[in-house]
Amino acid sequence: MIEIFDDISYEPGQFYTDLQNLADKRSVPFDGAMVRKSLDVFAKEIDRSVVQTKTTTKPGDGLYYRFFYKWENDLADIARRNDLLRYGTEPIDRLQREVLDTFSNATQAGLDFEAGRGLAKVWTFTGVRPIEDLFALSAIPESVPAHAEFFARHGLRRAFFVASDFHGETMNLYPVIEPECRNAEWLRKLVDETSGSLADTPDYGKMMGSLARTGCLGMTFSWRSPELHRWALYSLNAPTGDGSELLPALPGTLAEFDDQAPTLNADPQRNVAWSFGKAGFYTKLEKSYAKDANYFLTTEMGCDLSR
């Protein structure tokens, strides 16, 4: 039996079955052999981890499953040795290892899989540190330090995660939202500079109000182009129940996903993200299958991203 909480356990094949059923309900691709292999290869790591499912309103997007992990095993190396991730020498292949080798408090942070395409992202916790600390990494895209003035202008002083996105061949940078930035006017200026005010976006005040617990940004950069491709505002552990009035209404497809996605948690965590950029606006929803990311960030990683 795989122990997730002291009082919750499930058979190893249950998560596979739950994923397959969810993919069927969503009518999205599901590579059964790849999914089963990924769960077998990382069975011990998943056993200790926060586990989530995710989808988005982005046209053509599929079903994602991920786990967060901070301990001793090199997740990318395990994936490569088991043909779940290609070997290479490009910066995208080197970035996560360079972060681990450079910063003494950096740790593994987890993997993200797409059920129809395989391993999508490798995350690494950098430690909560000045964003400039990342500029000197040899594998970081030149577009990141090129945005130093942009970060400063919008009060983005610290970062705490990076990720390599192997499907998009991009990297993600996750800055902390500082207390003085947690207001609708700050969000409006950031949106106006990066994508223009979009008529179909939810109310900025409600988006920022939903960060009353925890929140961050996720920014996408490339080694092949100088611009910021897109960015997302994350409401981690988004308010529900009595606090749901703080959260903009979920698009119909995400509300449906929320109803369909299985969970072992009595009160599953939901993370909502609103993604902006020239490619267009879309919304993401992550739902805990076992444990929650807020627990991981605060208890396991020692972060305090609350107000």
Side-chain angles (χ1 to χ4, degrees):
M1 304 288 282
I2 297 180
E3 298 298 327
I4 298 298
F5 298 123
D6 291 341
D7 57 345
I8 295 178
S9 62
Y10 65 100
E11 296 292 343
Q14 182 181 339
F15 185 44
Y16 174 91
T17 300
D18 287 343
L19 280 173
Q20 186 175 41
N21 290 340
L22 183 56
D24 289 344
K25 290 176 182 178
R26 306 296 298 167
S27 298
V28 296
F30 184 84
D31 183 338
M34 182 280 300
V35 172
R36 191 176 297 279
K37 182 175 182 178
S38 70
L39 298 181
D40 288 344
V41 166
F42 290 105
K44 292 181 180 179
E45 289 76 18
I46 292 173
D47 186 18
R48 306 172 67 177
S49 301
V50 176
V51 182
Q52 291 182 333
T53 55
K54 184 198 86 170
T55 195
T56 81
T57 59
K58 188 177 180 181
D61 226 353
L63 169 65
Y64 294 81
Y65 59 101
R66 65 263 295 271
F67 67 91
F68 300 124
Y69 176 91
K70 63 160 284 185
W71 296 280
E72 66 281 358
N73 295 338
D74 187 324
L75 303 181
D77 183 60
I78 293 172
R80 290 186 177 98
R81 286 190 281 107
N82 287 276
D83 297 322
L84 292 169
L85 184 64
R86 63 182 173 82
Y87 283 89
T89 58
E90 297 297 322
I92 191 172
D93 300 289
R94 295 187 282 106
L95 177 60
Q96 306 307 311
R97 172 46 55 189
E98 186 176 3
V99 169
L100 291 169
D101 291 343
T102 301
F103 304 124
S104 60
N105 57 342
T107 68
Q108 312 281 335
L111 300 179
D112 192 8
F113 291 85
E114 206 263 73
R117 298 177 61 194
L119 180 55
K121 290 184 181 181
V122 178
W123 289 300
T124 301
F125 176 65
T126 64
V128 181
R129 63 180 56 259
I131 204 166
E132 292 87 353
D133 287 359
L134 304 178
F135 294 174
L137 297 175
S138 65
I140 206 82
E142 292 181 0
S143 51
V144 174
H147 278 75
E149 184 180 343
F150 172 87
F151 297 140
R153 186 163 60 252
H154 293 283
L156 302 174
R157 301 193 300 269
R158 297 180 296 162
F160 68 118
F161 276 90
V162 296
S164 290
D165 183 334
F166 289 90
H167 289 178
E169 296 188 337
T170 55
M171 67 84 64
N172 300 118
L173 172 67
Y174 296 86
V176 175
I177 303 175
E178 304 295 346
E180 66 271 19
C181 298
R182 294 183 177 223
N183 58 76
E185 184 58 28
W186 171 84
L187 179 59
R188 189 180 313 279
K189 289 179 180 178
L190 187 55
V191 172
D192 287 347
E193 181 168 347
T194 56
S195 60
S197 297
L198 305 175
D200 59 345
T201 60
D203 178 80
Y204 292 157
K206 275 201 167 186
M207 278 193 269
M208 297 308 294
S210 75
L211 308 188
R213 300 184 186 185
T214 52
C216 69
L217 294 181
M219 297 182 152
T220 301
F221 294 91
S222 173
W223 287 269
R224 296 184 174 89
S225 57
E227 70 270 13
L228 167 62
H229 281 213
R230 56 188 172 273
W231 60 273
L233 174 71
Y234 282 85
S235 175
L236 304 176
N237 203 13
T240 57
D242 291 343
S244 60
E245 71 277 1
L246 296 174
L247 185 69
L250 291 174
T253 56
L254 295 190
E256 182 182 64
F257 173 81
D258 189 27
D259 288 338
Q260 295 171 339
T263 181
L264 302 182
N265 295 12
D267 183 19
Q269 180 193 8
R270 295 165 178 85
N271 303 322
V272 180
W274 301 276
S275 184
F276 299 86
K278 294 179 180 179
F281 173 80
Y282 63 94
T283 308
K284 312 176 189 182
L285 176 62
E286 304 163 352
K287 183 177 178 181
S288 292
Y289 182 81
K291 296 188 179 181
D292 62 70
N294 199 49
Y295 164 86
F296 178 78
L297 290 172
T298 57
T299 303
E300 297 289 357
M301 307 302 286
C303 296
D304 181 6
L305 305 178
S306 61
R307 288 186 171 180

